[in-house]
Amino acid sequence: DPFARKRGDLDRLAVDAGRRLPDREVFLWTLEGHGEVVVKRARERWTPLHASAGEIEHANLRGLAGDGLPVPRALGYWCERVTPLARRSLVVMERVDHAETLREQLFHAGREERARWSAALVALVVRMHARGWYHRDLYLQHLVLHGDELVLLDVGRARHARAPRRRWLVKDLASLLHSAPRNVTSRERLAFLARYLDARGIHVAAEGAFQFSKPEVVLHQTRTRPGLPARRFRRRAEDV
C-alpha cells in the first residue's frame, strides 16, 4: 500500500513506467482492489500555510470530477515531513487507458479528423471554464484520448474561481494554441479560438480587446497578436 510506506520503502518502489524530475516522479503501481494505478510523488519545501502538492492535486481531481469534468478518479493522497524544511507527498489516481495524447493524435490526423477533435476540445474547455475551473497548464500533451472522450491530466496547478479570471483563461487558451503540432494551420487555430469565444459569449471589440457580453468582465488580447482587427478575425473564423 503506497499510502502506508515509510520513506525508505518509497525510495525502493519499482518503477515499471513513468517520468522523473529532480523533485517529482510519476510511476505505475499495482494496488490491491484497483489494479494498475498512477502515483505522483513530489518533494517540496515544508510550510504550514499551504497544502502539499499531493493533497492539492487530490482535491482538484475530486472537485473537477464533482463538476462533471473528465479526469482520472482520485484514490487518495499521503504526506510526510522528512526534514525541518522539507516534506514529501504523493497522490494516487486511476490509470486512464489511452494510446495517445491529443497532440500526438492531431499530428497524424487529417483535416476532417482534426476538426472533430477541435470541436470536442472547444466543448470541454468551455464547460471547464463555465464551471469556474482553470487548468493553468493546459497543453495538448495533458489531454489523452479515452475512446471518443478527452480526459484532463496533470491538474495539480488547476484552480477554481467564482468570478472569471482573465489571466488564467488567456493562459489556458494560449497554452493550447502554442502546443498544437505544426500541421495544425493558423487558420484552424483561429477557428478554434473563434468557436470558443462565441460559445462563451465573448466578442472582439474594435480596440482589439476580448470582451465578455457581460460588461463586468474584459479580457485583453494575448501579447502574441496585439491589435488584431475584429473584422479580419470574424471573416477568417467564418471562412473555416
Side-chain angles (χ1 to χ4, degrees), residues 59-80:
N60 286 343
L61 287 168
R62 289 175 60 88
L64 287 158
D67 282 333
L69 296 162
V71 293
R73 183 163 61 95
L75 300 176
Y77 71 93
W78 172 87
C79 180
E80 72 168 351

Side-chain angles (χ1 to χ4, degrees), residues 17-54:
R19 61 183 186 272
R20 184 192 296 265
L21 294 172
D23 58 349
R24 295 182 184 273
E25 184 180 15
V26 182
F27 53 89
L28 300 178
W29 174 270
T30 300
L31 188 62
E32 185 177 354
H34 296 280
E36 199 170 57
V37 299
V38 175
V39 180
K40 296 181 70 174
R41 185 173 63 179
R43 184 183 178 95
E44 57 197 309
R45 183 172 181 177
W46 181 85
T47 171
L49 301 178
H50 302 288
S52 68

Side-chain angles (χ1 to χ4, degrees), residues 215-239:
E216 67 269 20
V217 183
V218 176
L219 293 176
H220 292 293
Q221 198 170 351
T222 56
R223 295 180 181 177
T224 54
R225 299 190 64 80
L228 181 65
R231 290 182 180 177
R232 180 183 169 196
F233 185 91
R234 291 295 183 184
R235 184 169 61 252
R236 282 196 170 190
E238 292 167 359
D239 287 345

Side-chain angles (χ1 to χ4, degrees), residues 2 13 40 70 107 137 153 171 183-184 228:
L13 286 175
K40 296 181 70 174
F107 179 74
D137 200 20
L153 302 182
K171 178 175 173 56
N183 61 316
V184 177
L228 181 65

Side-chain angles (χ1 to χ4, degrees), residues 183-204:
N183 61 316
V184 177
T185 66
S186 297
R187 192 168 181 173
E188 289 174 293
R189 299 179 201 217
L190 282 172
F192 167 83
L193 185 56
R195 292 184 184 114
Y196 172 88
L197 297 176
D198 287 343
R200 292 296 313 280
I202 307 171
H203 65 274
V204 182

